[in-house]
Amino acid sequence: MAAAGASLVHANVPRSPPWEGDARAAGAAPHAGHGSEAGGGHANFRAGGLVDHRANGFDPHEVLRDFDWGSPRRLASGRVMREWELVAVDKEIEVMPGVRFQAWTYNGRVPGPTLRCREGERLRISFVNGSAHAHTIHFHGIHPAAMDGVPGIGAGEIAPGSRTVYEFDAQPSGLHLYHCHVRPLAEHIAKGLHGALIVDPADGREDADELVMVMNGFDTNFDRANEVYAANSIGFAYMDRPIAVKRDELVRVYLVNALEYDLINSFHLHGNMFQYFPTGTGRSPSELTDTVMLCQGQRGILEWRFPHVGRFMFHAHQSEFTELGWQGFFDVCERGDPRLVCRLPSDAGP
Ligand SMILES: [Cu+2]
């Protein structure tokens, strides 16, 4: 992240720090240590508007719990075939209040749809390139070379106006990702062509309030460094509106690092510790911790319960990323609280 980029984003992002808004709402003075820094730190976002999620066509709060199970049908063999259509679309999105970004998207959103299936199913993804540039979809997981979505192999680069089909078995169970693999690779991924692929174990997982967080960022001034950091694209979205979860209920976060230009990203949870399952491929956690660090393309599953009601932060533990958007709150509520929108996966998945 370059200093020039930080200045630019400060000049163009009217925002108040979220804690200042909370303090005002509570009738208290703003937190002097942050809101009054007068350009000295990244947290110097001034009072102003919110991102227009409707204009973007996606809301990071909906992205959290939006699992796309595709169109399933049973084959003569008894196996389930699951089909999706992903369309690459060039689209301007607002990533911070007033900061617009010329994104490349799958299906008009960043991250792309969270594709979800069960281990052993057959997956068929039709890819239509409605963008002005050549793209692919490269899936992580185990599959034949021709289905790998890289230039020069199989269908290779898919030209504007063309289409292809990727078809393979869902294996192994765990949390994977998909992204474009056309060069220059960092630009194709960072402009928005990335998303999560969840392969459930054949015997499922324990019911939980499940959330997808794809950590990403945006290079708004083309210096190959990020000016905006977030989970699910929109900086501060979960500060402006905290994520409501139930006290004592299992929370499961599918955490993917799709960030480019920075080698490392992280997730830190306040007031609690989580069990961490690297890549989600094993059933035994590797660690009970409150911070996990992920390289580009790494991902893992986090599980915990909040024993206490109240407001708890989560954020990248790199302070620079935190102050440029990658932070949020959980509001831990008692059962019956109208803020709760959790749907257990057993209620939703076909
Ligand atoms: Cu691409």
Side-chain angles (χ1 to χ4, degrees), residues 51-135:
V51 165
D52 186 344
H53 302 305
R54 188 175 299 183
N56 278 349
F58 64 93
D59 182 328
H61 278 271
E62 288 162 15
V63 169
L64 274 178
R65 295 183 173 96
D66 181 8
F67 299 98
D68 186 342
W69 292 86
S71 303
R73 65 190 164 92
R74 200 162 286 280
L75 303 172
S77 64
R79 278 181 87 186
V80 169
M81 160 78 86
R82 224 172 260 283
E83 298 187 61
W84 295 265
E85 183 175 81
L86 263 59
V87 183
V89 184
D90 300 342
K91 184 178 179 183
E92 184 184 87
I93 60 173
E94 187 182 12
V95 293
M96 286 269 227
V99 177
R100 294 177 196 286
F101 183 79
Q102 302 299 326
W104 295 348
T105 75
Y106 292 120
N107 291 9
R109 44 170 276 181
V110 184
T114 298
L115 309 183
R116 188 153 186 185
C117 58
R118 296 188 180 90
E119 187 176 17
E121 291 177 338
R122 187 75 173 166
L123 312 184
R124 180 182 287 167
I125 301 98
S126 300
F127 175 50
V128 179
N129 190 355
S131 158
H133 308 265
H135 299 300

XYZ file of all heavy atoms in Angstrom, residues 51-135:
691
model
N -22.359 3.585 1.069
C -22.352 2.979 -0.260
C -23.783 2.614 -0.657
O -24.562 2.133 0.172
C -21.432 1.734 -0.257
C -21.682 0.869 -1.475
C -19.974 2.169 -0.177
N -24.118 2.840 -1.911
C -25.443 2.493 -2.434
C -25.410 1.037 -2.917
O -25.064 0.750 -4.062
C -25.801 3.446 -3.583
C -27.227 3.229 -4.082
O -27.821 2.180 -3.769
O -27.728 4.117 -4.797
N -25.757 0.113 -2.017
C -25.673 -1.315 -2.350
C -26.638 -1.677 -3.485
O -26.358 -2.549 -4.292
C -25.974 -2.169 -1.117
C -25.060 -1.886 0.041
N -23.693 -1.957 -0.071
C -25.315 -1.518 1.328
C -23.142 -1.652 1.117
N -24.112 -1.368 1.958
N -27.784 -0.986 -3.506
C -28.759 -1.296 -4.556
C -28.180 -0.973 -5.931
O -28.310 -1.740 -6.874
C -30.058 -0.530 -4.315
C -31.171 -0.952 -5.266
C -32.486 -0.279 -4.938
N -32.932 -0.617 -3.596
C -34.087 -0.211 -3.081
N -34.896 0.529 -3.794
N -34.433 -0.549 -1.858
N -27.518 0.179 -6.033
C -26.909 0.552 -7.311
C -25.806 -0.442 -7.683
O -25.621 -0.766 -8.858
C -26.348 1.972 -7.237
N -25.077 -0.920 -6.685
C -24.043 -1.928 -6.951
C -24.652 -3.233 -7.448
O -24.004 -4.001 -8.157
C -23.234 -2.226 -5.684
C -22.132 -1.206 -5.426
O -21.820 -0.384 -6.289
N -21.545 -1.267 -4.246
N -25.894 -3.512 -6.995
C -26.525 -4.776 -7.376
C -26.223 -5.909 -6.413
O -26.655 -7.034 -6.627
N -25.468 -5.623 -5.357
C -25.244 -6.633 -4.311
C -24.992 -5.929 -2.988
O -24.469 -4.821 -2.964
C -24.078 -7.569 -4.664
C -22.738 -6.875 -4.748
C -21.891 -6.822 -3.632
C -22.310 -6.271 -5.924
C -20.649 -6.178 -3.695
C -21.079 -5.618 -5.992
C -20.255 -5.575 -4.881
N -25.407 -6.589 -1.912
C -25.265 -6.032 -0.568
C -24.369 -6.986 0.221
O -24.646 -8.185 0.295
C -26.667 -5.945 0.074
C -26.634 -5.335 1.466
O -25.627 -5.525 2.180
O -27.633 -4.690 1.845
N -23.276 -6.466 0.789
C -22.369 -7.372 1.510
C -23.055 -8.145 2.635
O -22.593 -9.229 2.998
C -21.286 -6.441 2.048
C -21.817 -5.060 1.895
C -22.815 -5.085 0.797
N -24.151 -7.605 3.173
C -24.881 -8.365 4.199
C -25.589 -9.575 3.595
O -25.710 -10.608 4.239
C -25.873 -7.462 4.931
C -25.207 -6.666 6.013
N -25.071 -7.116 7.289
C -24.587 -5.467 5.968
C -24.405 -6.222 8.009
N -24.096 -5.209 7.225
N -26.043 -9.443 2.361
C -26.666 -10.598 1.697
C -25.605 -11.579 1.220
O -25.796 -12.799 1.272
C -27.550 -10.120 0.541
C -28.816 -9.450 1.062
C -29.511 -8.576 0.027
O -29.188 -8.693 -1.174
O -30.356 -7.768 0.446
N -24.468 -11.051 0.760
C -23.370 -11.920 0.311
C -22.951 -12.870 1.436
O -22.647 -14.037 1.208
C -22.169 -11.060 -0.155
C -20.920 -11.901 -0.361
C -22.529 -10.305 -1.444
N -22.985 -12.368 2.680
C -22.569 -13.176 3.837
C -23.251 -14.534 3.900
O -22.626 -15.536 4.215
C -22.955 -12.448 5.136
C -22.045 -11.422 5.757
C -22.734 -10.867 6.999
C -20.692 -12.016 6.112
N -24.579 -14.532 3.677
C -25.352 -15.766 3.888
C -25.989 -16.260 2.599
O -26.962 -17.002 2.628
C -26.434 -15.523 4.953
C -25.876 -15.207 6.351
C -27.023 -15.053 7.345
N -26.581 -14.917 8.736
C -26.413 -13.759 9.374
N -26.618 -12.614 8.737
N -26.036 -13.743 10.644
N -25.427 -15.853 1.461
C -26.009 -16.217 0.163
C -25.230 -17.394 -0.430
O -24.132 -17.228 -0.959
C -25.938 -14.993 -0.767
C -26.545 -15.269 -2.125
O -27.158 -16.348 -2.299
O -26.410 -14.412 -3.018
N -25.797 -18.589 -0.301
C -25.150 -19.797 -0.815
C -25.888 -20.234 -2.078
O -27.092 -20.464 -2.045
C -25.177 -20.904 0.245
C -24.452 -20.513 1.495
C -25.143 -20.022 2.594
C -23.063 -20.594 1.564
C -24.476 -19.633 3.750
C -22.387 -20.210 2.716
C -23.094 -19.730 3.808
N -25.154 -20.338 -3.179
C -25.776 -20.670 -4.462
C -25.598 -22.163 -4.726
O -24.510 -22.613 -5.103
C -25.118 -19.824 -5.566
C -25.807 -20.002 -6.908
O -26.547 -20.996 -7.075
O -25.594 -19.156 -7.796
N -26.678 -22.899 -4.527
C -26.645 -24.357 -4.696
C -26.858 -24.774 -6.149
O -26.946 -25.972 -6.442
C -27.716 -25.008 -3.807
C -27.440 -24.905 -2.334
C -27.767 -23.870 -1.490
C -26.751 -25.874 -1.515
N -27.341 -24.150 -0.203
C -26.721 -25.368 -0.191
C -26.172 -27.120 -1.775
C -26.125 -26.066 0.866
C -25.590 -27.811 -0.711
C -25.562 -27.281 0.583
N -26.974 -23.816 -7.071
C -27.144 -24.132 -8.488
C -28.451 -24.845 -8.744
O -29.383 -24.803 -7.938
N -28.533 -25.503 -9.914
C -29.724 -26.277 -10.278
C -29.361 -27.751 -10.205
O -28.613 -28.245 -11.051
C -30.174 -25.930 -11.701
O -30.402 -24.544 -11.791
N -29.863 -28.458 -9.190
C -29.508 -29.875 -9.054
C -30.486 -30.786 -9.794
O -31.666 -30.466 -9.916
C -29.616 -30.102 -7.546
C -30.631 -29.100 -7.076
C -30.633 -27.956 -8.043
N -29.980 -31.884 -10.316
C -30.850 -32.939 -10.863
C -30.151 -34.268 -10.657
O -28.924 -34.315 -10.528
C -31.178 -32.695 -12.336
C -29.994 -32.771 -13.270
C -30.399 -32.265 -14.659
N -29.215 -31.981 -15.469
C -28.645 -32.870 -16.294
N -29.137 -34.085 -16.400
N -27.577 -32.542 -16.992
N -30.953 -35.325 -10.599
C -30.377 -36.638 -10.346
C -30.117 -37.344 -11.673
O -30.998 -37.426 -12.529
C -31.297 -37.458 -9.450
C -30.577 -38.621 -8.761
C -31.342 -39.160 -7.566
N -31.310 -38.307 -6.381
C -30.303 -38.243 -5.507
N -29.217 -38.976 -5.686
N -30.377 -37.447 -4.452
N -28.919 -37.837 -11.869
C -28.556 -38.563 -13.086
C -29.056 -40.010 -12.985
O -29.389 -40.482 -11.887
C -27.033 -38.552 -13.270
C -26.387 -37.160 -13.332
C -24.865 -37.261 -13.318
C -26.856 -36.413 -14.587
N -29.077 -40.705 -14.138
C -29.539 -42.104 -14.148
C -28.718 -42.952 -13.177
O -29.223 -43.905 -12.582
C -29.442 -42.663 -15.569
N -27.452 -42.584 -13.016
C -26.580 -43.336 -12.107
C -26.943 -43.124 -10.643
O -26.418 -43.818 -9.768
C -25.130 -42.880 -12.321
O -25.013 -41.511 -11.952
N -27.807 -42.140 -10.374
C -28.156 -41.827 -8.989
C -27.384 -40.650 -8.437
O -27.739 -40.094 -7.402
N -26.318 -40.266 -9.126
C -25.540 -39.111 -8.664
C -26.286 -37.815 -8.898
O -27.102 -37.707 -9.804
C -24.225 -39.012 -9.453
C -23.130 -39.891 -8.978
C -21.904 -39.659 -9.842
N -21.089 -38.565 -9.348
C -20.026 -38.090 -9.992
N -19.696 -38.585 -11.176
N -19.306 -37.132 -9.480
N -25.930 -36.818 -8.126
C -26.502 -35.482 -8.323
C -25.579 -34.689 -9.239
O -24.358 -34.656 -9.048
C -26.670 -34.745 -6.972
C -27.006 -33.265 -7.198
C -27.745 -35.416 -6.132
N -26.168 -34.064 -10.264
C -25.470 -33.106 -11.132
C -25.972 -31.720 -10.751
O -27.174 -31.483 -10.658
C -25.792 -33.404 -12.600
C -25.557 -32.254 -13.551
S -23.829 -32.025 -13.971
C -23.685 -33.164 -15.350
N -25.043 -30.816 -10.511
C -25.402 -29.454 -10.112
C -24.869 -28.488 -11.172
O -23.697 -28.581 -11.544
C -24.753 -29.166 -8.754
C -25.618 -28.493 -7.770
C -24.956 -28.424 -6.418
N -25.457 -29.462 -5.524
C -26.634 -29.418 -4.901
N -27.423 -28.383 -5.057
N -27.026 -30.404 -4.113
N -25.723 -27.602 -11.668
C -25.317 -26.710 -12.763
C -25.495 -25.240 -12.391
O -26.449 -24.871 -11.720
C -26.152 -27.011 -14.016
C -25.944 -28.425 -14.533
C -26.650 -28.653 -15.869
O -26.313 -27.945 -16.836
O -27.529 -29.519 -15.926
N -24.533 -24.454 -12.880
C -24.582 -23.001 -12.697
C -24.232 -22.318 -14.030
O -23.559 -22.919 -14.877
C -23.540 -22.517 -11.681
C -23.692 -22.962 -10.276
C -24.316 -22.285 -9.260
C -23.166 -24.154 -9.676
N -24.210 -22.995 -8.086
C -23.517 -24.139 -8.309
C -22.447 -25.259 -10.168
C -23.172 -25.159 -7.418
C -22.101 -26.278 -9.285
C -22.461 -26.222 -7.928
N -24.628 -21.079 -14.164
C -24.115 -20.253 -15.255
C -23.440 -19.032 -14.638
O -24.046 -18.303 -13.846
C -25.224 -19.796 -16.202
C -24.654 -19.006 -17.383
C -25.711 -18.637 -18.415
O -26.421 -17.637 -18.175
O -25.827 -19.332 -19.426
N -22.177 -18.832 -14.982
C -21.447 -17.639 -14.541
C -21.150 -16.782 -15.763
O -20.637 -17.286 -16.769
C -20.142 -18.021 -13.827
C -20.204 -18.050 -12.286
C -21.261 -19.036 -11.809
C -18.856 -18.390 -11.688
N -21.480 -15.506 -15.644
C -21.290 -14.572 -16.751
C -20.306 -13.493 -16.310
O -20.513 -12.852 -15.274
C -22.634 -13.928 -17.164
C -22.444 -13.020 -18.373
C -23.682 -15.006 -17.452
N -19.241 -13.317 -17.068
C -18.300 -12.228 -16.773
C -18.894 -10.931 -17.310
O -19.278 -10.853 -18.483
C -16.946 -12.499 -17.421
N -18.993 -9.940 -16.429
C -19.607 -8.654 -16.782
C -18.712 -7.527 -16.261
O -18.320 -7.543 -15.096
C -20.997 -8.510 -16.107
C -21.678 -7.222 -16.549
C -21.889 -9.707 -16.406
N -18.398 -6.569 -17.102
C -17.673 -5.372 -16.656
C -18.694 -4.432 -16.023
O -19.748 -4.171 -16.614
C -17.009 -4.657 -17.847
C -16.013 -5.565 -18.573
O -15.587 -6.567 -17.983
O -15.691 -5.259 -19.742
N -18.352 -3.916 -14.841
C -19.371 -3.146 -14.115
C -18.710 -2.178 -13.138
O -17.801 -2.566 -12.404
C -20.244 -4.131 -13.341
C -21.411 -3.520 -12.620
C -22.201 -4.628 -11.953
C -23.380 -4.071 -11.189
N -24.104 -5.139 -10.491
N -19.190 -0.948 -13.105
C -18.692 0.003 -12.120
C -19.394 -0.242 -10.792
O -20.617 -0.311 -10.740
C -18.957 1.446 -12.576
C -18.360 2.468 -11.618
C -18.710 3.892 -12.019
O -19.781 4.381 -11.607
O -17.910 4.516 -12.742
N -18.594 -0.377 -9.724
C -19.184 -0.522 -8.397
C -18.592 0.524 -7.458
O -17.498 1.031 -7.689
C -18.976 -1.945 -7.814
C -17.485 -2.289 -7.691
C -19.698 -2.984 -8.665
C -17.223 -3.610 -6.977
N -19.345 0.835 -6.401
C -18.884 1.778 -5.378
C -18.324 0.942 -4.230
O -19.043 0.134 -3.646
C -20.072 2.625 -4.915
C -19.717 3.759 -3.982
C -20.974 4.530 -3.535
O -22.100 4.055 -3.767
O -20.801 5.613 -2.943
N -17.011 1.090 -3.932
C -16.376 0.228 -2.941
C -16.199 0.904 -1.586
O -15.976 0.230 -0.578
C -15.021 -0.319 -3.457
C -15.259 -1.275 -4.619
C -14.077 0.797 -3.879
N -16.278 2.230 -1.568
C -16.330 3.048 -0.353
C -17.232 4.205 -0.746
O -17.363 4.497 -1.932
C -14.956 3.603 0.007
C -14.021 2.600 0.580
S -14.119 2.531 2.359
C -12.377 2.559 2.711
N -17.817 4.892 0.226
C -18.704 5.993 -0.156
C -18.003 6.962 -1.109
O -16.964 7.535 -0.780
C -19.045 6.654 1.178
C -18.931 5.538 2.166
C -17.772 4.714 1.685
N -18.537 7.086 -2.300
C -18.004 8.024 -3.285
C -16.833 7.510 -4.092
O -16.381 8.190 -5.007
N -16.305 6.317 -3.785
C -15.162 5.773 -4.522
C -15.667 4.690 -5.477
O -16.114 3.624 -5.057
C -14.106 5.166 -3.572
C -12.958 4.552 -4.360
C -13.580 6.237 -2.622
N -15.612 5.005 -6.773
C -16.120 4.080 -7.782
C -14.964 3.333 -8.434
O -13.876 3.864 -8.577
C -16.953 4.836 -8.818
C -18.183 5.397 -8.186
C -19.062 6.227 -9.086
N -19.978 6.988 -8.266
C -21.027 6.467 -7.643
N -21.318 5.185 -7.805
N -21.792 7.211 -6.875
N -15.236 2.102 -8.780
C -14.186 1.213 -9.272
C -14.729 0.455 -10.475
O -15.839 -0.073 -10.437
C -13.794 0.245 -8.143
C -12.667 -0.683 -8.509
C -11.345 -0.243 -8.480
C -12.932 -1.996 -8.893
C -10.306 -1.107 -8.831
C -11.898 -2.862 -9.233
C -10.581 -2.402 -9.209
N -13.932 0.430 -11.542
C -14.353 -0.290 -12.756
C -14.034 -1.765 -12.542
O -12.925 -2.214 -12.820
C -13.615 0.260 -13.978
C -13.820 1.751 -14.215
C -15.268 2.113 -14.465
O -16.017 1.337 -15.071
N -15.689 3.273 -13.998
N -15.010 -2.496 -12.046
C -14.785 -3.901 -11.681
C -15.040 -4.826 -12.860
O -15.755 -4.484 -13.804
C -15.701 -4.285 -10.522
N -14.392 -6.003 -12.788
C -14.745 -7.124 -13.651
C -15.386 -8.143 -12.727
O -14.803 -8.486 -11.684
C -13.492 -7.709 -14.308
C -12.807 -6.751 -15.250
C -13.289 -5.572 -15.739
C -11.497 -6.920 -15.818
N -12.358 -4.979 -16.574
C -11.251 -5.788 -16.642
C -10.509 -7.899 -15.719
C -10.072 -5.618 -17.353
C -9.324 -7.734 -16.422
C -9.113 -6.613 -17.245
N -16.579 -8.588 -13.059
C -17.355 -9.399 -12.113
C -17.787 -10.725 -12.720
O -17.865 -10.870 -13.937
C -18.649 -8.670 -11.686
O -19.604 -8.738 -12.766
C -18.386 -7.203 -11.352
N -18.049 -11.680 -11.849
C -18.845 -12.854 -12.231
C -20.273 -12.576 -11.755
O -20.503 -12.307 -10.568
C -18.335 -14.124 -11.542
C -16.967 -14.619 -11.994
C -15.920 -14.732 -11.093
C -16.746 -15.021 -13.326
C -14.678 -15.227 -11.488
C -15.508 -15.505 -13.727
C -14.471 -15.604 -12.809
O -13.249 -16.080 -13.195
N -21.208 -12.580 -12.670
C -22.637 -12.383 -12.373
C -22.924 -11.042 -11.699
O -23.858 -10.923 -10.901
C -23.191 -13.542 -11.523
C -23.266 -14.839 -12.318
O -22.763 -14.924 -13.439
N -23.873 -15.863 -11.752
N -22.101 -10.036 -11.985
C -22.419 -8.686 -11.544
C -22.086 -8.387 -10.098
O -22.460 -7.329 -9.587
N -21.394 -9.294 -9.413
C -21.082 -9.031 -8.009
C -19.633 -9.396 -7.691
O -19.025 -10.218 -8.384
C -22.042 -9.780 -7.069
C -22.309 -11.222 -7.460
C -23.057 -11.977 -6.403
N -22.142 -12.498 -5.388
C -22.511 -13.223 -4.345
N -23.779 -13.503 -4.154
N -21.616 -13.666 -3.478
N -19.112 -8.761 -6.666
C -17.768 -9.045 -6.170
C -17.883 -9.256 -4.663
O -18.319 -8.350 -3.963
C -16.786 -7.881 -6.452
C -15.377 -8.265 -6.017
C -16.801 -7.506 -7.940
N -17.486 -10.409 -4.122
C -17.034 -11.577 -4.848
C -18.160 -12.203 -5.684
O -19.321 -11.870 -5.492
C -16.615 -12.527 -3.712
C -17.477 -12.122 -2.556
C -17.614 -10.632 -2.669
N -17.775 -13.104 -6.599
C -18.771 -13.840 -7.376
C -19.620 -14.699 -6.461
O -19.366 -14.793 -5.251
N -20.661 -15.338 -7.015
C -21.551 -16.151 -6.178
C -20.792 -17.243 -5.427
O -19.826 -17.801 -5.941
C -22.538 -16.759 -7.183
C -21.983 -16.500 -8.535
C -21.045 -15.351 -8.428
N -21.213 -17.509 -4.182
C -20.629 -18.606 -3.399
C -21.265 -19.906 -3.868
O -22.427 -20.176 -3.573
C -20.882 -18.394 -1.894
O -20.246 -17.176 -1.497
C -20.323 -19.560 -1.083
N -20.509 -20.673 -4.646
C -21.028 -21.931 -5.182
C -20.935 -22.991 -4.095
O -19.909 -23.116 -3.423
C -20.223 -22.361 -6.410
C -20.046 -21.301 -7.501
C -19.295 -21.885 -8.697
C -21.391 -20.723 -7.940
N -22.024 -23.731 -3.918
C -22.039 -24.701 -2.821
C -22.582 -26.040 -3.308
O -23.554 -26.100 -4.063
C -22.894 -24.175 -1.672
C -22.772 -25.056 -0.444
C -23.021 -24.276 0.809
N -22.751 -25.100 1.963
C -22.964 -24.723 3.204
N -23.450 -23.525 3.438
N -22.693 -25.530 4.211
N -21.975 -27.105 -2.860
C -22.340 -28.446 -3.314
C -21.902 -29.445 -2.251
O -21.398 -29.054 -1.201
C -21.634 -28.743 -4.635
S -19.835 -28.618 -4.496
N -22.126 -30.727 -2.561
C -21.688 -31.778 -1.635
C -20.639 -32.650 -2.305
O -20.674 -32.864 -3.523
C -22.890 -32.627 -1.192
C -23.895 -31.814 -0.405
C -25.008 -32.634 0.228
N -25.901 -31.732 0.961
C -26.973 -31.149 0.417
N -27.305 -31.397 -0.838
N -27.709 -30.323 1.126
N -19.744 -33.123 -1.495
C -18.656 -33.984 -1.948
C -19.207 -35.124 -2.813
O -20.206 -35.745 -2.469
C -17.974 -34.569 -0.704
C -16.727 -35.344 -0.953
C -16.103 -35.793 0.382
O -16.787 -35.771 1.417
O -14.919 -36.150 0.348
N -18.566 -35.362 -3.964
C -18.954 -36.478 -4.831
C -19.977 -36.120 -5.891
O -20.209 -36.897 -6.820
N -20.601 -34.949 -5.788
C -21.545 -34.541 -6.825
C -20.776 -34.176 -8.099
O -19.572 -33.908 -8.072
C -22.375 -33.338 -6.344
C -23.336 -33.710 -5.222
C -24.132 -32.539 -4.670
O -23.689 -31.369 -4.838
O -25.180 -32.784 -4.065
N -21.499 -34.163 -9.218
C -20.924 -33.725 -10.487
C -21.272 -32.248 -10.655
O -22.431 -31.854 -10.478
C -21.520 -34.554 -11.635
C -20.866 -34.300 -12.984
C -19.515 -34.960 -13.080
N -18.957 -34.867 -14.428
C -17.684 -35.122 -14.694
N -16.838 -35.514 -13.745
N -17.221 -35.022 -15.931
N -20.284 -31.433 -10.975
C -20.515 -29.992 -11.106
C -20.334 -29.583 -12.562
O -19.377 -30.009 -13.217
C -19.521 -29.211 -10.227
C -19.363 -29.671 -8.781
C -18.412 -28.729 -8.035
C -20.707 -29.751 -8.064
N -21.242 -28.770 -13.061
C -21.131 -28.255 -14.432
C -21.351 -26.752 -14.388
O -22.441 -26.289 -14.023
C -22.162 -28.920 -15.347
C -22.083 -28.418 -16.790
C -23.143 -29.073 -17.642
N -22.835 -30.469 -17.930
C -23.705 -31.344 -18.446
N -24.944 -30.965 -18.700
N -23.334 -32.591 -18.691
N -20.314 -26.014 -14.733
C -20.386 -24.551 -14.687
C -20.253 -24.017 -16.116
O -19.208 -24.168 -16.751
C -19.286 -23.943 -13.792
C -19.394 -24.476 -12.354
C -19.376 -22.416 -13.779
C -18.477 -25.615 -12.027
N -21.333 -23.438 -16.629
C -21.287 -22.800 -17.948
C -20.744 -21.389 -17.760
O -21.267 -20.618 -16.952
C -22.683 -22.723 -18.566
O -23.202 -24.016 -18.717
N -19.689 -21.072 -18.500
C -19.086 -19.744 -18.378
C -19.317 -18.971 -19.664
O -18.945 -19.420 -20.752
C -17.584 -19.871 -18.095
C -16.870 -18.540 -18.072
C -17.342 -17.481 -17.316
C -15.706 -18.353 -18.812
C -16.694 -16.256 -17.300
C -15.045 -17.127 -18.808
C -15.542 -16.073 -18.048
N -19.941 -17.812 -19.518
C -20.229 -16.932 -20.646
C -19.397 -15.670 -20.452
O -19.478 -15.040 -19.393
C -21.728 -16.568 -20.692
C -22.022 -15.635 -21.868
C -22.586 -17.821 -20.754
N -18.609 -15.307 -21.442
C -17.809 -14.091 -21.283
C -18.501 -12.892 -21.933
O -18.408 -12.677 -23.132
C -16.406 -14.271 -21.868
C -15.504 -13.100 -21.498
O -15.965 -12.129 -20.878
N -14.243 -13.185 -21.869
N -19.171 -12.116 -21.078
C -19.837 -10.896 -21.542
C -18.984 -9.655 -21.304
O -19.482 -8.537 -21.372
N -17.718 -9.873 -21.006
C -16.793 -8.776 -20.720
C -16.055 -8.386 -22.000
O -16.091 -9.096 -23.001
C -15.797 -9.246 -19.644
O -14.611 -8.489 -19.673
N -15.355 -7.265 -21.950
C -14.587 -6.801 -23.109
C -13.199 -7.436 -23.172
O -12.424 -7.155 -24.086
C -14.467 -5.283 -23.063
N -12.871 -8.270 -22.174
C -11.540 -8.888 -22.100
C -11.675 -10.403 -22.030
O -12.702 -10.916 -21.581
C -10.801 -8.399 -20.845
C -10.760 -6.911 -20.725
N -9.697 -6.165 -21.167
C -11.668 -6.034 -20.225
C -9.960 -4.884 -20.952
N -11.133 -4.780 -20.381
N -10.628 -11.117 -22.430
C -10.619 -12.575 -22.312
C -10.501 -12.958 -20.838
O -9.747 -12.328 -20.083
C -9.457 -13.159 -23.104
N -11.244 -13.994 -20.422
C -11.182 -14.474 -19.038
C -11.330 -15.995 -19.016
O -11.627 -16.618 -20.034
C -12.305 -13.860 -18.187
C -12.258 -12.371 -18.085
N -11.192 -11.702 -17.551
C -13.165 -11.416 -18.448
C -11.438 -10.389 -17.589
N -12.622 -10.194 -18.134
